[in-house]
Amino acid sequence: MLVVQNLSKRYPGFLLDNVSFHLKPGRIMGLIGRNGAGKTTTLKSILNLVKPDNGTVTMFGRDFYANEESCKQQIGVVLGGIDFYSHKKLTHITAVTKRFYQEWDEDAYQKYLKMFSLDPEKRVKELSAGMQVKFMVALALSHNAKLLIFDEPTSGLDPVSRDDLLNLFRQLVKDGSRSILYSTHITSDLEKRADDITYIKDGKLLRSAEKSQFIESFQFLKELDEEGPLTLEEIMIRTERRTYDV
């Protein structure tokens, strides 16, 4: 579904350094790391929203950068920091958005509006931050996308809405035709729903693996007197607080 190889991007004072991982069909991958670690840079470089200095991205068996337009017909994206015109109604934004997608599914869109309790006649400025996220997710899910890429999709959602969205993610990948890559700092979400974890620290890939294997590989961080496996949250905290070489 998605293969990222040796992805690099240099900014003054920061280097995304040869990040590689792959996402199989029917899987949910959580992309973790502290703020500033390179999660958003990774996602934007994958999508060519920032031009990477090095690396390749393969989607659906094709070179993404050579087939960007056709590949983007099959992906749904929600990135943080994207602002709509605050005075526009949702229905107007949707009317513009749907023109870009050959397989726009109006029935699916209406289903997600209802699921997320979104009123299409409301203006963006009338929505809470959480409702704006739900609207962007509804747009991303309404053109039969096979790969969904989300940057902090549960940010701003209350616990019930967050859990509902995560349950929806699980339903979306259930038949094996879709995959989801999403960054988050809410590790409890990943404990519940992720199949794979990719961890970036200071621009470098620490590990990308199936969730149980990922957790097992960091159990050396446990103290001798501790019982039970470390959680993802504990792994992140302990890893970020020590000098750790891959």
Side-chain angles (χ1 to χ4, degrees):
M1 185 70 76
L2 172 66
V3 179
V4 178
Q5 292 182 302
N6 301 318
L7 200 63
S8 299
K9 177 65 180 178
R10 182 181 294 276
Y11 291 107
F14 177 79
L15 172 64
L16 186 71
D17 190 9
N18 289 313
V19 170
S20 300
F21 60 88
H22 65 276
L23 176 59
K24 296 178 180 178
R27 308 283 287 183
I28 298 175
M29 175 179 283
L31 179 64
I32 64 172
R34 68 187 301 172
N35 290 340
K39 301 188 301 296
T40 298
T41 299
T42 298
L43 297 182
K44 287 186 174 181
S45 295
I46 288 172
L47 295 167
N48 207 25
L49 296 177
V50 297
K51 188 172 180 60
D53 300 321
N54 188 51
T56 62
V57 174
T58 304
M59 286 186 191
F60 321 114
R62 294 176 288 168
D63 181 335
F64 174 75
Y65 301 131
N67 300 276
E68 186 171 350
E69 185 174 346
S70 60
C71 284
K72 283 186 173 179
Q73 288 291 324
Q74 299 182 71
I75 62 177
V77 178
V78 174
L79 297 178
I82 296 179
D83 296 320
F84 297 113
Y85 293 110
S86 62
H87 294 283
K88 287 291 187 181
K89 291 183 179 181
L90 304 191
T91 186
H92 293 153
I93 294 170
T94 302
V96 173
T97 302
K98 65 195 296 184
R99 297 176 189 171
F100 292 94
Y101 296 105
Q102 299 167 3
E103 294 192 33
W104 179 264
D105 187 336
E106 187 64 25
D107 290 339
Y109 175 66
Q110 293 299 326
K111 179 184 73 174
Y112 292 123
L113 286 185
K114 185 176 180 180
M115 179 184 298
F116 296 147
S117 299
L118 288 163
D119 180 354
E121 293 305 312
K122 279 195 171 183
R123 302 179 189 277
V124 173
K125 66 178 183 179
E126 298 176 293
L127 301 182
S128 67
M131 293 302 282
Q132 289 185 35
V133 170
K134 288 182 178 181
F135 176 56
M136 290 190 288
V137 170
L139 292 176
L141 295 177
S142 297
H143 59 275
N144 296 313
K146 299 302 182 186
L147 174 62
L148 301 166
I149 299 178
F150 297 149
D151 190 10
E152 301 280 359
T154 59
S155 178
L157 298 181
D158 61 76
V160 174
S161 295
R162 203 168 75 231
D163 198 55
D164 287 344
L165 185 59
L166 293 170
N167 285 334
L168 174 61
F169 284 179
R170 178 51 59 195
Q171 290 299 314
L172 289 170
V173 302
K174 189 175 182 179
D175 67 359
S177 66
R178 295 186 184 91
S179 297
I180 298 174
L181 169 64
Y182 77 102
S183 70
T184 184
H185 64 279
I186 306 174
T187 53
S188 59
D189 289 352
L190 301 178
E191 299 272 10
K192 294 177 182 177
R193 296 292 180 265
D195 300 303
D196 308 297
I197 307 293
T198 295
Y199 187 0
I200 295 176
K201 182 177 186 287
D202 299 328
K204 293 185 178 182
L205 178 73
L206 285 192
R207 184 157 175 76
S208 182
E210 187 274 330
K211 183 172 61 179
S212 63
Q213 295 175 358
F214 178 94
I215 292 173
E216 178 62 30
S217 70
F218 284 92
Q219 293 307 306
F220 69 91
L221 295 171
K222 285 175 59 177
E223 301 293 339
L224 291 176
D225 59 346
E226 288 182 306
E227 297 181 0
L230 295 177
T231 65
L232 283 172
E233 181 177 5
E234 291 167 334
I235 288 170
M236 274 196 65
I237 290 172
R238 297 186 190 197
T239 302
E240 295 293 339
R241 287 180 175 171
R242 62 181 283 165
T243 300
Y244 180 71
D245 296 324
V246 181

Short mmCIF file of all heavy atoms in Angstrom, two decimals, residues 117-153:
data_model
loop_
_atom_site.label_atom_id
_atom_site.label_comp_id
_atom_site.label_asym_id
_atom_site.label_seq_id
_atom_site.Cartn_x
_atom_site.Cartn_y
_atom_site.Cartn_z
N SER A 117 -22.60 14.44 13.25
CA SER A 117 -23.54 15.50 13.66
C SER A 117 -23.12 16.86 13.12
O SER A 117 -23.11 17.87 13.83
CB SER A 117 -23.65 15.55 15.19
OG SER A 117 -24.12 14.32 15.71
N LEU A 118 -22.78 16.89 11.82
CA LEU A 118 -22.35 18.12 11.17
C LEU A 118 -23.50 18.73 10.38
O LEU A 118 -24.16 18.04 9.59
CB LEU A 118 -21.19 17.84 10.22
CG LEU A 118 -19.85 17.51 10.88
CD1 LEU A 118 -18.91 16.86 9.87
CD2 LEU A 118 -19.20 18.77 11.44
N ASP A 119 -23.75 20.00 10.60
CA ASP A 119 -24.78 20.73 9.87
C ASP A 119 -24.12 21.44 8.69
O ASP A 119 -23.33 22.36 8.89
CB ASP A 119 -25.44 21.76 10.80
CG ASP A 119 -26.54 22.56 10.10
OD1 ASP A 119 -26.72 22.42 8.87
OD2 ASP A 119 -27.20 23.35 10.80
N PRO A 120 -24.42 21.03 7.45
CA PRO A 120 -23.74 21.62 6.29
C PRO A 120 -24.03 23.10 6.08
O PRO A 120 -23.32 23.77 5.33
CB PRO A 120 -24.27 20.79 5.12
CG PRO A 120 -25.56 20.22 5.59
CD PRO A 120 -25.39 19.99 7.05
N GLU A 121 -25.08 23.62 6.74
CA GLU A 121 -25.40 25.02 6.60
C GLU A 121 -24.66 25.91 7.60
O GLU A 121 -24.77 27.14 7.55
CB GLU A 121 -26.92 25.23 6.75
CG GLU A 121 -27.72 24.61 5.63
CD GLU A 121 -27.29 25.09 4.25
OE1 GLU A 121 -27.13 26.32 4.06
OE2 GLU A 121 -27.08 24.23 3.35
N LYS A 122 -23.93 25.29 8.49
CA LYS A 122 -23.15 26.08 9.45
C LYS A 122 -21.90 26.63 8.77
O LYS A 122 -21.37 26.05 7.82
CB LYS A 122 -22.76 25.23 10.66
CG LYS A 122 -23.86 25.11 11.69
CD LYS A 122 -23.32 24.59 13.01
CE LYS A 122 -24.39 24.66 14.10
NZ LYS A 122 -23.84 24.23 15.41
N ARG A 123 -21.41 27.74 9.30
CA ARG A 123 -20.16 28.32 8.82
C ARG A 123 -19.00 27.75 9.65
O ARG A 123 -19.18 27.34 10.78
CB ARG A 123 -20.20 29.84 8.92
CG ARG A 123 -21.34 30.46 8.13
CD ARG A 123 -21.40 31.97 8.26
NE ARG A 123 -22.62 32.49 7.68
CZ ARG A 123 -22.81 32.74 6.39
NH1 ARG A 123 -21.82 32.52 5.54
NH2 ARG A 123 -23.96 33.20 5.95
N VAL A 124 -17.82 27.75 9.06
CA VAL A 124 -16.65 27.18 9.72
C VAL A 124 -16.43 27.82 11.09
O VAL A 124 -16.11 27.15 12.07
CB VAL A 124 -15.40 27.34 8.85
CG1 VAL A 124 -14.14 26.92 9.59
CG2 VAL A 124 -15.54 26.53 7.56
N LYS A 125 -16.62 29.13 11.17
CA LYS A 125 -16.36 29.84 12.42
C LYS A 125 -17.32 29.41 13.54
O LYS A 125 -17.06 29.67 14.72
CB LYS A 125 -16.47 31.36 12.21
CG LYS A 125 -17.87 31.86 11.86
CD LYS A 125 -17.89 33.36 11.72
CE LYS A 125 -19.30 33.89 11.44
NZ LYS A 125 -19.32 35.37 11.33
N GLU A 126 -18.41 28.76 13.16
CA GLU A 126 -19.38 28.30 14.16
C GLU A 126 -19.04 26.92 14.72
O GLU A 126 -19.72 26.45 15.63
CB GLU A 126 -20.78 28.28 13.55
CG GLU A 126 -21.27 29.64 13.10
CD GLU A 126 -22.63 29.57 12.40
OE1 GLU A 126 -22.69 28.99 11.30
OE2 GLU A 126 -23.60 30.08 12.97
N LEU A 127 -18.01 26.29 14.17
CA LEU A 127 -17.63 24.96 14.61
C LEU A 127 -16.51 25.01 15.65
O LEU A 127 -15.61 25.84 15.55
CB LEU A 127 -17.14 24.11 13.43
CG LEU A 127 -18.11 23.89 12.27
CD1 LEU A 127 -17.45 22.99 11.23
CD2 LEU A 127 -19.42 23.28 12.73
N SER A 128 -16.58 24.12 16.62
CA SER A 128 -15.47 23.97 17.55
C SER A 128 -14.29 23.36 16.81
O SER A 128 -14.42 22.86 15.68
CB SER A 128 -15.88 23.06 18.71
OG SER A 128 -16.10 21.74 18.24
N ALA A 129 -13.12 23.37 17.45
CA ALA A 129 -11.94 22.77 16.83
C ALA A 129 -12.17 21.30 16.54
O ALA A 129 -11.78 20.79 15.48
CB ALA A 129 -10.72 22.96 17.74
N GLY A 130 -12.82 20.61 17.47
CA GLY A 130 -13.11 19.19 17.28
C GLY A 130 -14.05 18.95 16.11
O GLY A 130 -13.85 18.01 15.33
N MET A 131 -15.06 19.79 15.96
CA MET A 131 -16.00 19.64 14.85
C MET A 131 -15.34 19.95 13.51
O MET A 131 -15.68 19.35 12.49
CB MET A 131 -17.22 20.52 15.07
CG MET A 131 -18.08 20.11 16.27
SD MET A 131 -18.71 18.42 16.14
CE MET A 131 -20.05 18.65 14.97
N GLN A 132 -14.39 20.88 13.51
CA GLN A 132 -13.66 21.15 12.28
C GLN A 132 -12.84 19.93 11.86
O GLN A 132 -12.75 19.62 10.67
CB GLN A 132 -12.75 22.37 12.46
CG GLN A 132 -13.51 23.69 12.57
CD GLN A 132 -12.58 24.89 12.62
OE1 GLN A 132 -11.53 24.91 12.01
NE2 GLN A 132 -12.99 25.91 13.38
N VAL A 133 -12.26 19.25 12.84
CA VAL A 133 -11.53 18.02 12.54
C VAL A 133 -12.48 16.99 11.94
O VAL A 133 -12.16 16.33 10.94
CB VAL A 133 -10.86 17.45 13.81
CG1 VAL A 133 -10.32 16.04 13.54
CG2 VAL A 133 -9.74 18.36 14.27
N LYS A 134 -13.65 16.84 12.52
CA LYS A 134 -14.63 15.88 12.01
C LYS A 134 -15.03 16.21 10.58
O LYS A 134 -15.21 15.32 9.75
CB LYS A 134 -15.87 15.86 12.91
CG LYS A 134 -15.64 15.21 14.26
CD LYS A 134 -16.93 15.19 15.07
CE LYS A 134 -16.74 14.50 16.40
NZ LYS A 134 -18.00 14.45 17.19
N PHE A 135 -15.17 17.50 10.28
CA PHE A 135 -15.53 17.89 8.92
C PHE A 135 -14.44 17.52 7.93
O PHE A 135 -14.71 16.97 6.85
CB PHE A 135 -15.79 19.40 8.87
CG PHE A 135 -16.09 19.93 7.49
CD1 PHE A 135 -17.13 19.40 6.73
CD2 PHE A 135 -15.33 20.96 6.95
CE1 PHE A 135 -17.41 19.88 5.45
CE2 PHE A 135 -15.60 21.45 5.69
CZ PHE A 135 -16.63 20.91 4.94
N MET A 136 -13.17 17.77 8.31
CA MET A 136 -12.07 17.41 7.42
C MET A 136 -11.99 15.89 7.23
O MET A 136 -11.71 15.42 6.12
CB MET A 136 -10.75 17.95 7.99
CG MET A 136 -10.65 19.46 7.91
SD MET A 136 -8.99 20.10 8.30
CE MET A 136 -8.94 19.81 10.07
N VAL A 137 -12.27 15.14 8.28
CA VAL A 137 -12.28 13.68 8.16
C VAL A 137 -13.40 13.23 7.24
O VAL A 137 -13.22 12.34 6.40
CB VAL A 137 -12.41 13.03 9.55
CG1 VAL A 137 -12.66 11.53 9.42
CG2 VAL A 137 -11.16 13.27 10.39
N ALA A 138 -14.58 13.86 7.36
CA ALA A 138 -15.70 13.52 6.48
C ALA A 138 -15.34 13.74 5.02
O ALA A 138 -15.65 12.90 4.16
CB ALA A 138 -16.93 14.36 6.86
N LEU A 139 -14.68 14.85 4.72
CA LEU A 139 -14.25 15.11 3.34
C LEU A 139 -13.24 14.06 2.87
O LEU A 139 -13.32 13.56 1.74
CB LEU A 139 -13.61 16.50 3.24
CG LEU A 139 -14.53 17.71 3.43
CD1 LEU A 139 -13.71 19.00 3.39
CD2 LEU A 139 -15.63 17.75 2.37
N ALA A 140 -12.32 13.70 3.76
CA ALA A 140 -11.27 12.75 3.39
C ALA A 140 -11.82 11.35 3.12
O ALA A 140 -11.24 10.59 2.34
CB ALA A 140 -10.22 12.69 4.49
N LEU A 141 -12.95 11.03 3.75
CA LEU A 141 -13.50 9.68 3.63
C LEU A 141 -14.53 9.53 2.51
O LEU A 141 -15.06 8.43 2.31
CB LEU A 141 -14.17 9.28 4.95
CG LEU A 141 -13.27 9.14 6.18
CD1 LEU A 141 -14.10 8.82 7.41
CD2 LEU A 141 -12.21 8.08 5.96
N SER A 142 -14.80 10.59 1.77
CA SER A 142 -15.95 10.59 0.87
C SER A 142 -15.61 10.45 -0.61
O SER A 142 -16.43 10.81 -1.46
CB SER A 142 -16.78 11.86 1.10
OG SER A 142 -17.31 11.88 2.41
N HIS A 143 -14.42 9.94 -0.93
CA HIS A 143 -14.12 9.70 -2.35
C HIS A 143 -13.45 8.35 -2.55
O HIS A 143 -12.63 8.17 -3.45
CB HIS A 143 -13.27 10.83 -2.93
CG HIS A 143 -11.95 11.05 -2.24
ND1 HIS A 143 -11.82 11.82 -1.11
CD2 HIS A 143 -10.72 10.58 -2.52
CE1 HIS A 143 -10.57 11.83 -0.74
NE2 HIS A 143 -9.87 11.08 -1.57
N ASN A 144 -13.84 7.38 -1.72
CA ASN A 144 -13.37 6.00 -1.87
C ASN A 144 -11.85 5.88 -1.81
O ASN A 144 -11.23 5.11 -2.56
CB ASN A 144 -13.88 5.41 -3.19
CG ASN A 144 -15.39 5.30 -3.21
OD1 ASN A 144 -16.00 4.82 -2.25
ND2 ASN A 144 -16.01 5.75 -4.29
N ALA A 145 -11.23 6.64 -0.91
CA ALA A 145 -9.77 6.60 -0.75
C ALA A 145 -9.34 5.25 -0.21
O ALA A 145 -10.00 4.65 0.64
CB ALA A 145 -9.32 7.71 0.19
N LYS A 146 -8.21 4.77 -0.71
CA LYS A 146 -7.66 3.50 -0.26
C LYS A 146 -6.59 3.69 0.81
O LYS A 146 -6.31 2.77 1.59
CB LYS A 146 -7.06 2.73 -1.44
CG LYS A 146 -8.07 2.40 -2.53
CD LYS A 146 -9.24 1.58 -1.99
CE LYS A 146 -10.22 1.20 -3.08
NZ LYS A 146 -11.42 0.52 -2.53
N LEU A 147 -5.97 4.85 0.82
CA LEU A 147 -4.96 5.17 1.82
C LEU A 147 -5.35 6.47 2.50
O LEU A 147 -5.58 7.48 1.83
CB LEU A 147 -3.58 5.31 1.17
CG LEU A 147 -2.44 5.78 2.08
CD1 LEU A 147 -2.19 4.79 3.22
CD2 LEU A 147 -1.16 6.00 1.27
N LEU A 148 -5.45 6.44 3.82
CA LEU A 148 -5.82 7.62 4.60
C LEU A 148 -4.61 8.06 5.42
O LEU A 148 -4.01 7.26 6.13
CB LEU A 148 -6.99 7.30 5.51
CG LEU A 148 -8.25 6.83 4.77
CD1 LEU A 148 -9.26 6.21 5.74
CD2 LEU A 148 -8.90 7.98 4.01
N ILE A 149 -4.25 9.33 5.29
CA ILE A 149 -3.10 9.89 5.99
C ILE A 149 -3.57 11.06 6.84
O ILE A 149 -4.06 12.07 6.31
CB ILE A 149 -2.01 10.34 5.00
CG1 ILE A 149 -1.51 9.14 4.18
CG2 ILE A 149 -0.86 11.02 5.72
CD1 ILE A 149 -0.47 9.49 3.13
N PHE A 150 -3.46 10.91 8.13
CA PHE A 150 -3.99 11.90 9.08
C PHE A 150 -2.88 12.37 10.02
O PHE A 150 -2.10 11.57 10.53
CB PHE A 150 -5.11 11.29 9.93
CG PHE A 150 -6.32 10.85 9.16
CD1 PHE A 150 -7.08 9.78 9.60
CD2 PHE A 150 -6.71 11.49 8.01
CE1 PHE A 150 -8.21 9.37 8.92
CE2 PHE A 150 -7.83 11.09 7.31
CZ PHE A 150 -8.60 10.03 7.76
N ASP A 151 -2.85 13.68 10.25
CA ASP A 151 -1.91 14.27 11.20
C ASP A 151 -2.71 14.70 12.43
O ASP A 151 -3.49 15.66 12.36
CB ASP A 151 -1.21 15.47 10.55
CG ASP A 151 -0.05 15.98 11.40
OD1 ASP A 151 0.33 15.32 12.37
OD2 ASP A 151 0.48 17.07 11.07
N GLU A 152 -2.54 13.99 13.53
CA GLU A 152 -3.25 14.27 14.79
C GLU A 152 -4.78 14.36 14.58
O GLU A 152 -5.40 15.36 14.95
CB GLU A 152 -2.74 15.57 15.41
CG GLU A 152 -1.25 15.58 15.72
CD GLU A 152 -0.91 14.86 17.02
OE1 GLU A 152 -1.83 14.37 17.69
OE2 GLU A 152 0.29 14.78 17.34
N PRO A 153 -5.41 13.34 14.01
CA PRO A 153 -6.85 13.44 13.70
C PRO A 153 -7.74 13.49 14.93
O PRO A 153 -8.87 13.96 14.83
CB PRO A 153 -7.11 12.17 12.88
CG PRO A 153 -6.09 11.20 13.38
CD PRO A 153 -4.86 12.03 13.64
#
